[in-house]
Amino acid sequence: MNRTEVLNAISKAIMANKNDKPLRVGISGITSSGKTTLANELSKQLGKMGVPVIQARMDDFHNPKSVRYQRGRESAEGYYLDAYDHQSLLNKLLIPLGPNGNRQYSVKSLDLSSDQYVDSAIETAKENSLLLIDGTFLFKDDLRKELDFMIYVQTDIDIALERGSLREQHALGGLERAKSIFIERYHAASRMYLDEHEPAKYADMILVNNDLDHPELIVNNRK
């Protein structure tokens, strides 16, 4: 299948789960696996189908530096355990859009550039809206239970390393420095996530994303 065909298949599966309540779709995968790219593609495609899409990123629910770097700037354990503010993500976004929520949500709690908490605008979701949220650790147990449909982006770690370090080389001080940080912090933490939570096991669909033009789609009949 080419990428267009895969996107069509994923969109069709998502729409099969739609009803008159907001649907919370989560996309997870190791750092630089292609989660945000997939979320952007699906947002555009579902929007063309007339679906009111709310797009959010787990990266907008970070903890401040004082928390996320408390074990060291390059600590894998620190990234895995301290980077994200789960409670804000649950309270501001996932629970309000859940079956018993009031549909009053925010898509951001912390501005990374200023390292300051923000009073993000509270919006009201339409009853037939669809949330698309991506994040590396999004299928941790406490977050996973607040998602209705899950997609795991499976990319070999060496391929994700090349993609990520190329993308972040200017921000992280050069290509070799970027590779080192990915290996020692981001992907070491990703391995912890895979070992402890086995995120692919819980996904409704798995996108094998090594070949961007011809990814493989696996339907996981977990239910």
Side-chain angles (χ1 to χ4, degrees):
M1 297 173 73
N2 62 36
R3 194 165 188 90
T4 299
E5 292 169 330
V6 166
L7 291 172
N8 287 337
I10 297 174
S11 298
K12 183 177 179 180
I14 290 173
M15 292 303 294
N17 285 270
K18 284 281 289 133
N19 52 36
D20 58 352
K21 298 289 185 181
L23 184 74
R24 300 164 296 177
V25 178
I27 301 173
S28 188
I30 66 172
T31 306
S32 297
S33 58
K35 304 177 297 297
T36 303
T37 296
L38 178 62
N40 291 339
E41 292 168 325
L42 290 174
S43 179
K44 183 180 295 185
Q45 183 152 327
L46 292 164
K48 289 179 180 178
M49 297 167 66
V51 178
V53 175
I54 301 164
Q55 191 169 355
R57 299 190 64 197
M58 195 174 176
D59 280 352
D60 287 322
F61 292 89
H62 267 91
N63 279 314
K65 290 179 180 178
S66 60
V67 176
R68 68 179 187 269
Y69 293 157
Q70 61 186 325
R71 301 172 203 258
R73 173 64 180 84
E74 297 179 22
S75 167
E77 187 178 45
Y79 182 52
Y80 181 57
L81 296 176
D82 304 325
Y84 294 100
D85 184 349
H86 286 206
Q87 204 57 56
S88 288
L89 177 55
L90 288 166
N91 292 343
K92 291 176 177 287
L93 184 63
L94 296 183
I95 291 174
L97 295 179
N100 299 312
N102 60 10
R103 293 186 283 115
Q104 306 289 308
Y105 71 94
S106 297
V107 295
K108 189 172 188 176
S109 67
L110 184 98
D111 179 68
L112 273 177
S113 61
S114 65
D115 196 42
Q116 297 293 319
Y117 286 108
V118 296
D119 291 323
S120 184
I122 297 176
E123 302 183 56
T124 302
K126 296 180 179 178
E127 289 187 356
N128 65 334
S129 62
L130 184 149
L131 171 67
L132 276 175
I133 179 169
D134 67 271
T136 296
F137 305 135
L138 190 59
F139 296 173
K140 282 188 174 182
D141 293 345
D142 60 330
L143 301 177
R144 188 180 68 238
K145 66 183 181 181
E146 295 296 340
L147 296 169
D148 304 306
F149 191 91
M150 289 176 278
I151 304 165
Y152 183 74
V153 181
Q154 181 175 299
T155 302
D156 289 352
I157 206 157
D158 58 334
I159 294 175
L161 171 63
E162 290 300 318
R163 291 176 186 169
S165 54
L166 281 171
R167 184 189 68 200
E168 300 294 338
Q169 60 180 314
H170 298 299
L172 295 177
L175 184 58
E176 292 308 311
R177 175 67 173 158
K179 284 185 178 181
S180 176
I181 291 175
F182 265 83
I183 291 169
E184 299 298 328
R185 180 171 167 86
Y186 299 125
H187 283 163
S190 293
R191 292 181 193 275
M192 295 177 190
Y193 174 56
L194 299 182
D195 289 343
E196 183 173 355
H197 292 277
E198 301 180 278
K201 180 173 73 174
Y202 297 98
D204 296 276
M205 307 187 92
I206 299 169
L207 180 74
V208 183
N209 203 39
N210 291 332
D211 184 336
L212 297 176
D213 293 326
H214 295 89
E216 179 186 356
L217 187 61
I218 301 170
V219 178
N220 193 0
N221 296 312
R222 64 185 179 88
K223 299 175 183 177

